[in-house]
Amino acid sequence: MTGAVREPRSGAADLAVLREIEGRVLWLSTAIVHHANRVRPNPSGLKVGGHQASSASMVSIMTSLWFRHLRAGDRMSVKPHASPVLHAINHLLGELDASYLTRLREFGGLQSYPSRAKDPDPVDYSTGSVGIGATAPIWGALSRRYLNATVGGGGSGRQYSLVGDAELDEGAVWEAVLDPAVGELGEVVWVVDLNRQSLDRVVPNIAADRLEGMFAAAGWQVITVKYGRLVRELFERPGGAELRGRIDAMPNPEYQRLLRCDAAQLRERLPGRGPGAAAIAALVAGVDDATLLEAVANLGGHDLEALDEAFSAIDDTRPTVVFAYTVKGYGLATRGHPQNHSALLTEEQMRELAGRVGADLDDPWRALPEGGAAAALCAETAERLRRDRVEAVPPPPVPADTGRTPSGTVTTQAALGRTLLDLTRQAPEAARRIVTVSPDVSSSTNLGGWVNKVGVWSTAERPDWFADDAETILHWRETPSGQHIELGIAEVNLVGLLGELGATWSRWGQPLLPIGVLYDPFVERALEPWSFGIYAGGQSILVGTPSGVTLAPEGGAHQSIKTPSIGLEQPGCVTYEPAFALDTEWVLLASLARLGRPDGTSAYLRLSTRPVDQSLAAVPEDPAARERRRRLVVAGAYPLRRVAAPAVTIAAMGAVVPEALAAAERLERVGVPADVVCVTSPDLLYRAVRARQGHERADSWVLDQVFPAERATPLVTVLDGHPHTLAFLATVNRVATSALGVTRFGQSGAIEDLYREHGLDADGIVRAALDLAG
């Protein structure tokens, strides 16, 4: 981004026209919620909801931005509770048919919060989970920077976040603001709706100066828009300095109470009892009632001139935050009330509002007067903000098999790095679009070779001061062409960036193939933003490694239990937990091939640091048999050991497959022949079961291949994770079952000790099988 200051576009409408549009936006956003709750039939009686007051506090800010300052390349994340304002503006710009204005929170209609994937009108960023939508444009800006530096086609423009002040309570916000990479993103602009109210109350101790200092310390430009033109004029009169000092010093609840007063009450309350009380009383005595009432609420976030000045002063060389003081419910009868968060205007109050802004409750969606200045400005704005249609470039083909057959003793974690390096030689076009992300764990998760090969991405080239150190194994070459992005130790940031890197195919038509790597136990820490990124259309691969109690010496805090189940249950995502290196390669390649396309999907790979003898995989040498094995691996499971007349079947997943094979050998010796099935994706197997039951569309052929009815026997399932993840497999053929896994916190120790403790060792599997076989 350049350092030039943007000026408002030339020929902008005068303030009177802008205020007419502001009034219409206020009306439409309020009427959308009113219709959903007061007019539309509601047979169930269930609360519909919506936020008239939270929308009202954003109307002036959004009117100024859309109709004065935004450009076609800009992207906007709108705070969740202001979604009706976004839909109102889109309607005025011709991007949303009036028929949708009656369908807020209706099935197939306008979503409760802005949704990039589900709303019928343009939405740049999905929001809804507090703090996540606020930070998304940061990762969107970084993703576009990366895209432009490596592939091209990302264009330019600012990335705006319209943030509720209560969202600043979220730790995810500060994790993002403080990441060192963010200080280089001059296209990031946050506008904080500082209305000082939360859902339940007026927040007593929001210290704006402290918040300003925190952003400034992180390198952000800080712009504060506190007072509007009218009240600033009062500050210039005798007694004005005392009035300003009085308002600045009063607690938030006291100020909010003033908004509920009539003029007589204001004249009594406003002077207070301090040393400046007499001067303030004299000042307000000379102000007429209407002006006094307007001036008390004349905060900068509702003053179009003040907002215009602030947005024109944004410096594009560093991120910017604009603190806009507002009143929750501004312009409505509920303004400033501490319980106005979900309050609805009465019909009488709606008619009063309609009369004030030139609307009609009986014809609420009536268009602006044709040929008028406001309609002309809407048309002109729509043309200015019109974006070229994005033609998506198809992702390059990814090979299904590199042809390598791993030997010796290898971990699935190491297979990840090996496969990425193989791709740089066998499929360079696909490899060029791969971008890896990690929170300071690239070396400990076996990405070192990949990082050495492709380099680390940076906005500018930085010297590697250890390049000539012979003992340095990991070479940290930072250039704009690097393909690994390293963030600080904040998993929420990692998955936020991962989601935006995975959305470039739909935003700018250029697909990336993003892979995020983190310690598997911390998937749960990042779960909400990861899930939200998938919901918003981001397609990526999340790799959790190392995993389970198999990470024995690290202790219970680092031993994941629930993550296999999380992967199985996460919509929009295919989960895999391979046991062998070649399985890892195949599922990784298949997952890469699903990215960056309209029918694509994300993936979650749960990998391990346990070295496993690769000969146990018994990879077929015949090419056709090898391809059949690959297809089964990618589909969710394959038979690893077959006997003539099985008495029991062991279905094992991931790191504990060697124990399952050892148990099968022992069972054979005691006259209980056992089949062994290697499960690679409980997720796909469960979908196959549901498809067979008629609940969803999915391939079910893998069940017939792996669990044929003629080989149905009692079933032992085993994994290094919660046992219920595989327990459903017993329903395939309705057999007796025993589900083994981890149901309590682990501790430090050797793998043998931990497996014995949780019943995952060969002894535990043999006991379970004998119990079933009788």
Side-chain angles (χ1 to χ4, degrees):
M1 298 292 291
T2 66
V5 174
R6 282 184 177 187
E7 296 293 338
R9 60 186 182 82
S10 58
D14 61 27
L15 283 172
V17 178
L18 204 59
R19 287 185 180 120
E20 182 180 354
I21 291 176
E22 177 189 33
R24 184 54 60 99
V25 172
L26 176 63
W27 167 256
L28 288 172
S29 60
T30 306
I32 287 170
V33 180
H34 175 80
H35 189 280
N37 287 272
R38 304 280 202 197
V39 180
R40 192 171 70 214
N42 183 10
S44 72
L46 187 68
K47 174 188 172 184
V48 175
H51 302 86
Q52 292 176 332
S54 295
S55 292
S57 67
M58 290 297 302
V59 165
S60 304
I61 293 169
M62 293 175 69
T63 300
S64 178
L65 283 170
W66 262 263
F67 293 91
R68 288 276 284 173
H69 293 273
L70 294 188
R71 297 176 180 177
D74 297 338
R75 296 291 188 274
M76 182 70 69
S77 174
V78 177
K79 79 170 191 176
H81 291 163
S83 64
V85 185
L86 176 62
H87 298 311
I89 290 174
N90 279 337
H91 170 65
L92 291 176
L93 298 182
E95 298 283 3
L96 182 66
D97 188 79
S99 62
Y100 279 102
L101 301 180
T102 63
R103 301 185 62 194
L104 178 69
R105 301 190 175 202
E106 182 182 80
F107 185 78
L110 301 176
Q111 299 301 298
S112 54
Y113 308 124
S115 172
R116 199 169 164 257
K118 298 182 181 297
D119 270 318
D121 53 333
V123 174
D124 292 329
Y125 288 97
S126 297
T127 58
S129 290
V130 176
I132 295 174
T135 59
I138 287 179
W139 312 124
L142 200 155
S143 297
R144 188 172 59 188
R145 288 278 191 107
Y146 176 87
L147 184 70
N148 282 335
T150 57
V151 177
S156 61
R158 288 177 179 162
Q159 303 285 309
Y160 286 87
S161 288
L162 303 182
V163 184
D165 53 10
E167 288 191 89
L168 299 183
D169 291 344
E170 284 288 340
V173 166
W174 298 105
E175 288 183 2
V177 168
L178 294 174
D179 194 277
V182 174
E184 300 175 337
L185 303 176
E187 60 267 50
V188 170
V189 178
W190 282 19
V191 183
V192 179
D193 173 16
L194 201 65
N195 63 43
R196 294 164 288 179
Q197 280 189 242
S198 63
L199 190 150
D200 294 324
R201 60 176 180 152
V202 178
V203 181
N205 295 315
I206 287 183
D209 53 349
R210 182 182 63 191
L211 294 171
E212 292 167 4
M214 292 167 71
F215 276 96
W220 290 50
Q221 178 192 20
V222 178
I223 299 173
T224 300
V225 191
K226 187 168 186 178
Y227 295 116
R229 174 190 50 81
L230 180 58
V231 73
R232 289 203 309 264
E233 289 177 357
L234 292 184
F235 292 159
E236 297 301 318
R237 300 183 188 182
E242 290 82 358
L243 175 61
R244 179 165 193 158
R246 163 84 170 118
I247 296 176
D248 282 344
M250 70 173 56
N252 294 330
E254 182 180 4
Y255 172 76
Q256 296 281 114
R257 182 62 184 89
L258 295 178
L259 300 175
R260 309 292 301 169
C261 293
D262 59 27
Q265 292 170 326
L266 276 179
R267 297 182 197 283
E268 178 183 349
R269 288 173 177 261
L270 192 54
R273 291 181 172 80
I280 297 171
L283 171 60
V284 299
V287 178
D288 64 83
D289 288 356
T291 301
L292 182 59
L293 288 168
E294 184 180 355
V296 167
N298 184 221
L299 297 179
H302 302 300
D303 189 290
L304 295 173
E305 291 174 286
L307 289 167
D308 200 41
E309 293 172 7
F311 296 144
S312 298
I314 292 172
D315 173 9
D316 283 330
T317 65
R318 54 182 172 150
T320 296
V321 60
V322 178
F323 284 98
Y325 280 72
T326 61
V327 174
K328 193 166 183 175
Y330 185 80
L332 305 181
T334 56
R335 80 171 188 179
H337 193 281
Q339 278 87 52
N340 67 6
H341 184 78
S342 297
L344 297 170
L345 267 60
T346 64
E347 180 176 335
E348 180 182 353
Q349 290 168 336
M350 287 292 294
R351 292 194 182 279
E352 185 278 328
L353 174 62
R356 185 156 34 90
V357 299
D360 183 354
L361 182 61
D362 298 320
D363 187 12
W365 323 120
R366 184 181 66 196
L368 289 165
E370 189 173 349
L377 178 56
C378 289
E380 184 182 342
T381 300
E383 183 61 31
R384 170 168 49 86
L385 296 181
R386 184 164 290 115
R387 298 169 182 167
D388 294 335
R389 182 179 178 85
V390 173
E391 296 294 339
V393 174
V398 177
D401 188 346
T402 68
R404 178 190 295 274
T405 303
S407 59
T409 302
V410 182
T411 72
T412 54
Q413 176 178 285
L416 168 70
R418 178 75 262 172
T419 303
L420 293 178
L421 288 173
D422 285 344
L423 278 175
T424 63
R425 293 184 291 271
Q426 296 198 12
E429 288 301 312
R432 189 72 192 102
R433 290 182 180 263
I434 291 175
V435 51
T436 56
V437 188
S438 70
D440 197 36
V441 293
S442 54
S443 56
S444 60
T445 53
N446 282 94
L447 286 181
W450 163 258
V451 171
N452 285 344
K453 175 75 173 179
V454 302
V456 178
W457 182 81
S458 176
T459 55
E461 189 162 352
R462 293 190 176 103
D464 179 4
W465 297 105
F466 290 87
D468 59 348
D469 187 331
E471 296 183 6
T472 298
I473 299 175
L474 181 63
H475 299 289
W476 209 253
R477 294 180 294 107
E478 296 182 81
T479 70
S481 62
Q483 290 179 245
H484 175 74
I485 301 176
E486 189 94 349
L487 299 177
I489 305 178
E491 288 77 14
V492 169
N493 287 351
L494 177 136
V495 296
L497 175 56
L498 203 61
E500 291 305 319
L501 288 167
T504 59
W505 69 274
S506 58
R507 285 199 197 284
W508 298 295
Q510 290 288 348
L512 295 173
L513 307 178
I515 302 173
V517 181
L518 76 167
Y519 287 167
D520 192 68
F522 304 148
V523 167
E524 292 181 63
R525 182 182 299 175
L527 182 57
E528 185 189 6
W530 175 50
S531 178
F532 204 79
I534 295 173
Y535 167 80
Q539 297 173 9
S540 61
I541 299 172
L542 183 66
V543 179
T545 183
S547 61
V549 298
T550 301
L551 186 62
E554 290 284 348
H558 278 61
Q559 295 167 359
S560 51
I561 298 171
K562 295 181 289 183
T563 47
S565 177
I566 288 171
L568 185 154
E569 296 164 7
Q570 175 60 46
C573 178
V574 177
T575 185
Y576 289 106
E577 185 169 347
F580 300 105
L582 187 55
D583 296 356
T584 304
E585 174 193 304
W586 286 338
V587 301
L588 176 63
L589 295 175
S591 298
L592 286 168
R594 295 189 186 106
L595 300 179
R597 58 184 73 246
D599 60 345
T601 185
S602 294
Y604 164 48
L605 274 58
R606 191 174 188 250
L607 304 184
S608 174
T609 50
R610 183 188 186 185
V612 173
D613 179 1
Q614 298 302 299
S615 67
L616 297 176
V619 179
E621 294 185 2
D622 180 80
R626 177 185 175 105
E627 172 58 15
R628 179 177 181 274
R629 166 71 70 86
R630 186 199 67 80
R631 290 182 66 242
L632 287 167
V633 166
V634 172
Y638 60 94
L640 186 55
R641 185 182 191 270
R642 288 289 202 217
V643 295
V648 69
T649 299
I650 303 170
M653 184 169 74
V656 297
V657 167
E659 277 64 34
L661 289 170
E665 293 289 342
R666 289 172 53 182
L667 288 166
E668 181 79 30
R669 291 196 292 269
V670 298
V672 182
D675 280 353
V676 176
V677 170
C678 183
V679 174
T680 55
S681 175
D683 177 17
L684 292 177
L685 294 183
Y686 188 64
R687 295 187 204 185
V689 169
R690 286 178 55 78
R692 181 180 280 183
Q693 296 168 344
H695 296 310
E696 63 180 87
R697 293 182 179 180
D699 290 331
S700 60
W701 61 268
V702 66
L703 299 178
D704 297 323
Q705 294 292 314
V706 180
F707 299 104
E710 64 271 16
R711 298 185 69 85
T713 64
L715 178 68
V716 177
T717 63
V718 57
L719 76 154
D720 184 358
H722 200 282
H724 103 278
T725 308
L726 296 181
F728 73 91
L729 290 175
T731 67
V732 174
N733 290 313
R734 300 181 181 180
V735 296
T737 186
S738 180
L740 306 181
V742 181
T743 59
R744 58 191 186 278
F745 292 115
Q747 58 178 296
S748 297
I751 285 180
E752 296 80 5
D753 297 330
L754 270 293
Y755 281 8
R756 187 182 308 111
E757 170 71 15
H758 294 279
L760 306 180
D761 60 347
D763 284 350
I765 299 171
V766 168
R767 283 194 298 269
L770 292 175
D771 287 344
L772 288 174

